[in-house]
Amino acid sequence: MDSFQVNCWSEHEELKVVMLCAPSIADVSDLTIAEQVGWSDTVNHSKALESFMALKMILENAGVKVIDYAKELPIDQQLLSEQLINRYFVRDLACVIGNRIVPGNAGSSLRQPEYPLAHALLEKWFPQQLMPMLQPLHSFECGDVLILNKDAVLINLGMRTTIEAIEGIMETILHEGFSEIAVIDLPKSNDTLHLDMNCNVVNKNLVIAKSFVRYFPVQVLTAQSRRFDMVESFLKHHGFEVFWLDSYKTIPDINFINLNPETLVISKQASKQQLLAHPLLKKKNFLEVDVTELEKGGGGIRCMTMPLVRT
């Protein structure tokens, strides 16, 4: 793999390098089994792979370097990895905050094998940038992290992320130069599983969010103090307007990724007209990709992508 240094200071600047993972070789052809593993419907591997390749092609055609981490695993680990049905949701495994890689800890036993496989590669590739692993009992899934800008990070204390884990990474985040970490505690259900199922950064000065989120306070952590604020007030303090959604399809409408400040990669199932209704989004380029088969696993495009470099 070509040598480079990871860095990521926002959710909206130009994406240069991203980590993905192709879907498992397994079919989930029985609806009862799909529900038992937390999926909304049956999934056909061939269709899922087509969706994955379409997403990969959109990114590569835009000049983004794409790393499929499963291809880099030793053969014996590949044999295990290819059977892990959620492995394409790489966002949860780790995140780049500033110049550091913050490793995740699985909050679900079904996903535990993925984490050490990915972390071993990240440690091999970026030994100076990977922070020490969290305590095993302190679950932390990186779909709960939004990097607002160089000053602020928003983290959800949800189904899969503990306060102990947040306390464990706080010093690293502040040391990178971020001044404030806001912690929000959203409802713990499948529809609100991670922060990026409830809100997302859509522009340098715009966040899109489900309307109920406005009623939640945040605890703002700094190097010197802790205080409470309301989420909208906190976001406005850091230069963000909020586009509140009263109606939405959780995965396709919220779970997108910024390719660069002008371009969003969105699901073909997204309510595009709703996005275009906001004046700040009317000039955005929308690259649509059909990831319907992959979305049945309970996550969207953001869940499937781990940015390593944004400029």
Side-chain angles (χ1 to χ4, degrees):
M1 190 183 71
D2 296 338
S3 177
F4 60 89
Q5 297 289 300
V6 301
N7 67 87
C8 191
W9 300 91
S10 76
E11 303 285 344
H12 64 271
E13 295 297 342
E14 185 174 4
L15 182 63
K16 302 297 289 185
V17 185
V18 67
M19 194 161 87
L20 307 182
C21 184
S24 161
I25 62 172
D27 289 319
V28 179
S29 55
D30 182 273
L31 182 57
T32 300
I33 292 175
E35 292 171 348
Q36 289 170 335
V37 298
W39 289 14
S40 64
D41 204 345
T42 59
V43 171
N44 176 273
H45 163 69
S46 295
K47 291 181 180 179
L49 186 58
E50 286 179 13
S51 292
F52 170 80
M53 294 306 296
L55 174 60
K56 183 172 183 283
M57 184 178 298
I58 277 185
L59 295 169
E60 290 180 332
N61 286 347
V64 180
K65 177 180 175 61
V66 175
I67 301 168
D68 183 344
Y69 88 84
K71 291 183 176 180
E72 307 296 328
L73 295 170
I75 295 299
D76 60 329
Q77 294 181 2
Q78 287 187 30
L79 294 174
L80 169 63
S81 175
E82 67 186 9
Q83 299 175 71
L84 302 174
I85 60 172
N86 291 301
R87 70 175 190 166
Y88 61 95
F89 294 132
V90 297
R91 174 72 62 159
D92 301 322
L93 305 181
C95 56
V96 177
I97 303 180
N99 292 308
R100 298 298 301 274
I101 302 173
V102 179
N105 263 348
S108 162
S109 60
L110 191 62
R111 301 204 59 192
Q112 283 180 346
E114 303 165 44
Y115 286 68
L117 296 181
H119 293 167
L121 288 176
L122 292 171
E123 186 172 22
K124 175 184 175 182
W125 295 336
F126 312 107
Q128 303 303 316
Q129 295 185 274
L130 181 67
M131 71 167 278
M133 301 299 170
L134 298 166
Q135 293 295 320
L137 295 178
H138 298 169
S139 63
F140 175 63
E141 297 194 350
C142 298
D144 277 321
V145 178
L146 282 181
I147 305 172
L148 299 175
N149 51 36
K150 290 186 175 182
D151 194 44
V153 177
L154 179 62
I155 304 178
N156 179 43
L157 175 61
M159 287 179 71
R160 303 281 182 85
T161 294
T162 64
I163 189 61
E164 292 84 3
I166 296 172
E167 296 279 1
I169 66 173
M170 175 181 168
E171 183 177 347
T172 294
I173 295 173
L174 295 176
H175 188 265
E176 285 301 296
F178 297 91
S179 63
E180 295 192 331
I181 304 166
V183 179
I184 193 168
D185 187 359
L186 295 175
K188 297 169 176 58
S189 69
N190 287 337
D191 195 47
T192 56
L193 180 62
H194 290 126
L195 182 60
D196 61 13
M197 305 290 277
N198 300 281
C199 63
N200 205 345
V201 176
V202 73
N203 208 38
K204 66 178 181 180
N205 54 358
L206 183 66
V207 166
I208 191 169
K210 296 177 180 178
S211 57
F212 80 88
V213 175
R214 73 194 318 154
Y215 298 101
F216 281 76
V218 293
Q219 186 175 27
V220 183
L221 314 177
T222 74
Q224 295 81 29
S225 66
R226 300 185 176 208
R227 72 179 192 277
F228 285 98
D229 200 351
M230 297 305 293
V231 64
E232 186 169 26
S233 174
F234 174 79
L235 290 169
K236 285 186 174 180
H237 174 70
H238 288 284
F240 289 91
E241 178 188 341
V242 185
F243 181 18
W244 298 109
L245 299 181
D246 292 317
S247 61
Y248 42 78
K249 294 177 286 186
T250 291
I251 293 173
D253 287 351
I254 305 289
N255 206 261
F256 50 77
I257 188 171
N258 291 269
L259 189 59
N260 54 53
E262 292 79 38
T263 310
L264 290 179
V265 180
I266 64 172
S267 167
K268 189 176 180 180
Q269 304 300 317
S271 306
K272 187 177 176 182
Q273 291 306 310
Q274 182 170 243
L275 291 172
L276 290 170
H278 194 284
L280 290 178
L281 297 180
K282 286 184 177 179
K283 294 184 179 180
K284 281 272 191 181
N285 299 318
F286 294 94
L287 300 181
E288 298 178 63
V289 57
D290 187 354
V291 288
T292 306
E293 199 71 12
L294 296 170
E295 289 173 329
K296 295 175 183 178
I301 290 171
R302 190 177 192 273
C303 298
M304 303 172 202
T305 51
M306 184 198 298
L308 295 179
V309 179
R310 282 192 186 273
T311 56

